[in-house]
Amino acid sequence: MAESPEVQHQLEKLLLGGPRKYTRLEVAEKAGVPEERSRRLWRALGFAAAEDDEVVFTDADVAAMRTADQLIASGLVARNLEVAVTRALGQHLSRLAEWQVHMLWSLIAENPGLDDSQVTKLVARLLPELEQVQNFVWRRHLVAFAGRAFATDEDLEARPQVVGFVDMVGYTKMTREVDEDELSRVLDGFESLAAGVVADHRGRIVKMIGDEVFFVTDSPDSGAEIALTLAERTSASDDLPAVRAGLASGRVLSRFGDVYGSVVNLAARLTSVARPGTVLVDRELAAALDPLPEYELRSRRPVAVRGYNRLRTSVLRRAQDRPSGKFAQAQERAAEAMGLPETTRPATEPDGPEDLTLGSQRRRRRR
């Protein structure tokens, strides 16, 4: 059926928009693009290098190469960034294409009675619909990002943001204990939950890294809500493992959909030392969240992680009445010794200057 050479040939012709009939050198000549640039752009898109005499390109390749060259000539894409822009485009669309092929293959596998012509007709019908949806989503994201861009005078490439990582606890162990179907269900459930929560609070997912979601947002309270909500939802779920989260605030570099800088590294380090069910924040974000009455922050003693000898952190919680006194302090110390999640422990009154809850500090100053 779909494994036959004929159906593969028909699908290839359909998807490429025509038969292969040009070499790479012929594409460069027809598009009017220097040969070396055509080679660089092709490799940057993530495709294997084609030999000079290998006939693998179509009329669509000629048109795309010509369009890319016109974008560069217009000044919209700087010449020193053309390869980086092309690489980012290739990486993002490669992942999308892989997912779509898996989806199509699953559909075909569930209908084993389809013959070659039916498979080709199915793809021919679905292709324009996929393109229409992709175009719609792309335009909606353009609107969203353009709205934020024109609403601020800040540098869009380097500006202050809240960076967060939320990591599933015990993922490595789980991969050894469950089958592929169960693992797929867990990952799908986590990705679906994370995507919804991040979108609801006006954040942006930078990437899903296996068992972890990496996101950014513009406001401290949005970052706090995303991390706390994910911790609460996974804790209440019978189908998902607990999570831990790290948040940091500061200036980051945004480049081709990814973000970089010391703030990103700091948020990742915070996640690595957080306990199950815990949200850790850095000092800058703690200071921004401190005035908000809906949150409570409890300072932890400094910890040593890679790149930071004395990293000062705070545990972020939703504000609520908490027990105090010597018995509560003893419970807290016992829970910490046993490695229990922060969210399952009773809160305590601080036992030292480095363990003061910021909210408690405010209350004491007002007395």
Side-chain angles (χ1 to χ4, degrees):
M1 189 259 306
E3 297 180 0
S4 70
E6 178 58 28
V7 75
Q8 292 183 29
H9 175 73
Q10 291 298 325
L11 289 177
E12 179 183 282
K13 184 176 179 180
L14 174 66
L15 294 172
L16 292 179
R20 299 175 186 260
K21 56 183 181 180
Y22 302 122
T23 66
R24 184 181 58 80
L25 296 177
E26 289 172 333
V27 169
E29 181 181 359
K30 287 181 174 296
V33 176
E35 183 272 331
E36 182 55 34
R37 179 187 295 170
S38 72
R39 184 194 301 272
R40 289 199 310 270
L41 294 179
W42 181 254
R43 293 298 301 274
L45 284 169
F47 301 126
E51 298 296 334
D52 290 347
D53 59 350
E54 192 174 0
V55 180
V56 295
F57 299 100
T58 70
D59 289 321
D61 291 302
V62 175
M65 187 65 67
R66 186 181 294 121
T67 300
D69 188 57
Q70 289 171 351
L71 285 173
I72 295 166
S74 71
L76 181 63
V77 178
R79 289 189 181 275
N80 63 325
L81 293 178
E82 64 180 63
V83 173
V85 170
T86 305
R87 184 183 303 115
L89 183 65
Q91 290 173 351
H92 288 296
L93 293 183
S94 173
R95 295 184 61 190
L96 177 62
E98 182 181 10
W99 167 77
Q100 290 172 340
V101 168
H102 286 170
M103 180 181 64
L104 177 61
W105 183 255
S106 298
L107 179 61
I108 294 173
E110 292 170 1
N111 297 273
L114 294 175
D115 59 29
D116 291 356
S117 63
Q118 289 173 319
V119 170
T120 304
K121 290 178 181 178
L122 175 64
V123 175
R125 192 182 79 240
L126 291 177
L127 188 61
E129 295 178 1
L130 283 173
E131 290 178 335
Q132 185 176 1
V133 171
Q134 287 169 193
N135 189 53
F136 167 76
V137 174
W138 170 66
R139 286 180 177 273
R140 291 294 300 183
H141 280 300
L142 278 181
V143 170
F145 281 105
R148 288 196 288 269
F150 289 110
T152 179
D153 294 329
E154 293 181 342
D155 183 355
L156 295 179
E157 191 173 64
R159 61 192 178 95
Q161 286 191 291
V162 175
V163 177
F165 289 87
V166 179
D167 174 46
M168 284 194 288
V169 177
Y171 174 78
T172 301
K173 180 182 178 182
M174 181 181 65
T175 60
R176 297 194 297 263
E177 297 176 346
V178 301
D179 59 25
E180 293 178 355
D181 289 340
E182 177 62 23
L183 181 61
S184 180
R185 282 194 292 271
V186 171
L187 290 174
D188 286 345
F190 178 63
E191 290 181 6
S192 177
L193 174 63
V197 171
V198 172
D200 286 345
H201 296 286
R202 299 185 179 279
R204 178 176 72 84
I205 291 180
V206 178
K207 64 182 73 170
M208 298 293 302
I209 314 171
D211 60 329
E212 186 175 61
V213 58
F214 170 20
F215 69 90
V216 293
T217 185
D218 292 333
S219 65
D221 55 328
S222 292
E225 283 300 320
I226 290 170
L228 289 172
T229 302
L230 285 174
E232 292 161 355
R233 297 271 185 89
T234 54
S235 177
S237 173
D238 295 328
D239 301 319
L240 296 174
V243 299
R244 55 184 180 176
L247 301 174
S249 178
R251 197 170 182 83
V252 300
L253 172 66
S254 298
R255 193 169 185 269
F256 306 120
D258 211 337
V259 295
Y260 306 87
S262 61
V263 175
V264 178
N265 296 332
L266 179 54
R269 301 291 184 271
L270 290 173
T271 309
S272 70
V273 298
R275 298 188 182 95
T278 302
V279 178
L280 289 184
V281 302
D282 73 331
R283 296 178 67 179
E284 184 166 343
L285 184 56
L289 293 171
D290 184 30
L292 304 180
E294 58 266 37
Y295 305 117
E296 182 178 89
L297 295 129
R298 185 174 64 82
S299 296
R300 293 181 61 182
R301 293 179 177 83
V303 296
V305 296
R306 184 160 56 92
Y308 300 88
N309 291 327
R310 288 177 59 83
L311 180 59
R312 292 183 176 272
T313 67
S314 296
V315 178
L316 173 67
R317 297 167 170 151
R318 297 197 187 279
Q320 54 185 311
D321 293 332
R322 297 183 176 277
S324 60
K326 293 182 179 179
F327 179 68
Q329 293 179 29
Q331 285 182 308
E332 175 76 9
R333 287 192 291 269
E336 184 169 352
M338 291 186 289
L340 295 178
E342 295 278 355
T343 53
T344 65
R345 305 182 194 174
T348 69
E349 286 294 315
D351 58 4
E354 293 182 340
D355 201 31
L356 285 175
T357 302
L358 298 183
S360 299
Q361 290 177 315
R362 292 200 304 273
R363 289 192 292 272
R364 288 185 173 186
R365 287 196 294 267
R366 288 197 291 266
R367 288 174 183 169

